[in-house]
Amino acid sequence: MMTNLFSVFDPSTSILNWSFNWLSTMLFLIFIPFSFWFIPSRPIFLWNSIISTLYNEYKILLGPNSKGSTFIFIIIFSFIIMNNFMGLFPFIFTSTSHLTITLTLALPFWLTFMLYGWFNHTQHMFAHLVPQGTPTMLMPFMVCIETISNMIRPGTLAVRLTANMIAGHLLMTLLGNTGHLIMNSPIMLQFLVITQLLLLMLESAVAMIQAYVFAVLASLYCSEVT
């Protein structure tokens, strides 16, 4: 039973010795040509307004010396939210529910920020290990705590996104598997359909929130080293 439940998150399934599940990561590319229409549609106007709002917010978080780095976080947000939403469609593999994707996104960001900070702002990075106002006796412990917190940042970024994607999809799978057990009860069937719709709305909100949280936390980590 557990193998059947978690098989939806297994990217190793293949057809004709080719694994097609990871192709879902690039499915969002089919929406890009719509942005080049002569008269943009309402979804394109909505997306442009979201991008404009994110640009202004990231510009504030990164400071006046961002120099175009805000677009990196906008691209990351767009990539994650598109993959999260594509995973809500039936028979489409949710690539962001796998650590292969999330850790690949989080680890290079964290490593780049750390290398840039330690090579270019070494004194600031050392000062960041001891928060202002820390008693002298607690300074060694604060250095250890801050070092550990910095080391686990890519893991927390990756696991947060993966766990949230898996939890909602797994719950929807569990509820969907109980449909054949209550086919003879119209009231329970209606309750199950309503619950599934509410859960789908919740998953849509989680897809947006997790993409936003990932991009914002990455921008905050960047602002700390600059």
Side-chain angles (χ1 to χ4, degrees), residues 15-223:
I15 301 176
L16 299 177
N17 295 325
W18 287 87
S19 180
F20 292 101
N21 278 337
W22 290 116
L23 293 179
S24 64
T25 310
M26 296 292 112
L27 282 179
F28 70 93
L29 294 177
I30 64 178
F31 297 104
I32 292 180
F34 293 99
S35 61
F36 296 101
W37 285 6
F38 185 73
I39 300 177
S41 60
R42 291 181 180 178
I44 296 300
F45 276 117
L46 176 61
W47 181 249
N48 289 337
S49 63
I50 293 174
I51 294 300
S52 178
T53 304
L54 289 174
Y55 173 78
N56 294 328
E57 182 171 349
Y58 291 147
K59 195 172 182 180
I60 294 173
L61 291 175
L62 297 174
N65 297 323
S66 57
K67 297 180 180 180
S69 58
T70 53
F71 293 105
I72 299 176
F73 302 105
I74 291 175
I75 292 172
I76 290 297
F77 171 82
S78 303
F79 176 80
I80 294 176
I81 194 173
M82 288 296 180
N83 279 281
N84 289 350
F85 271 115
M86 293 304 295
L88 294 177
F89 289 94
F91 305 108
I92 296 182
F93 174 66
T94 311
S95 59
T96 49
S97 66
H98 205 280
L99 281 175
T100 304
I101 294 294
T102 56
L103 197 59
T104 302
L105 291 175
L107 189 58
F109 269 103
W110 173 82
L111 187 60
T112 304
F113 297 153
M114 288 296 103
L115 291 176
Y116 176 82
W118 284 106
F119 279 107
N120 296 279
H121 306 285
T122 308
Q123 186 175 358
H124 170 74
M125 296 298 291
F126 275 117
H128 187 69
L129 294 177
V130 182
Q132 188 176 4
T134 303
T136 306
M137 295 296 295
L138 295 178
M139 284 184 179
F141 300 101
M142 292 304 299
V143 171
C144 295
I145 293 172
E146 290 294 327
T147 302
I148 294 173
S149 66
N150 284 332
M151 294 293 290
I152 66 175
R153 279 179 175 179
T156 56
L157 272 180
V159 172
R160 181 188 293 108
L161 179 57
T162 300
N164 280 279
M165 289 297 102
I166 287 179
H169 286 65
L170 189 59
L171 185 56
M172 293 178 68
T173 304
L174 285 170
L175 291 177
N177 289 339
T178 59
H180 66 281
L181 300 177
I182 57 175
M183 290 296 292
N184 297 327
S185 177
I187 297 178
M188 292 300 297
L189 187 60
Q190 292 177 6
F191 176 76
L192 178 62
V193 171
I194 294 174
T195 305
Q196 285 276 50
L197 290 176
L198 293 176
L199 188 58
L200 182 61
M201 294 173 60
L202 178 62
E203 276 297 289
S204 301
V206 169
M208 293 185 289
I209 292 171
Q210 290 304 314
Y212 176 77
V213 168
F214 190 99
V216 167
L217 287 178
S219 64
L220 289 175
Y221 297 159
C222 179
S223 63

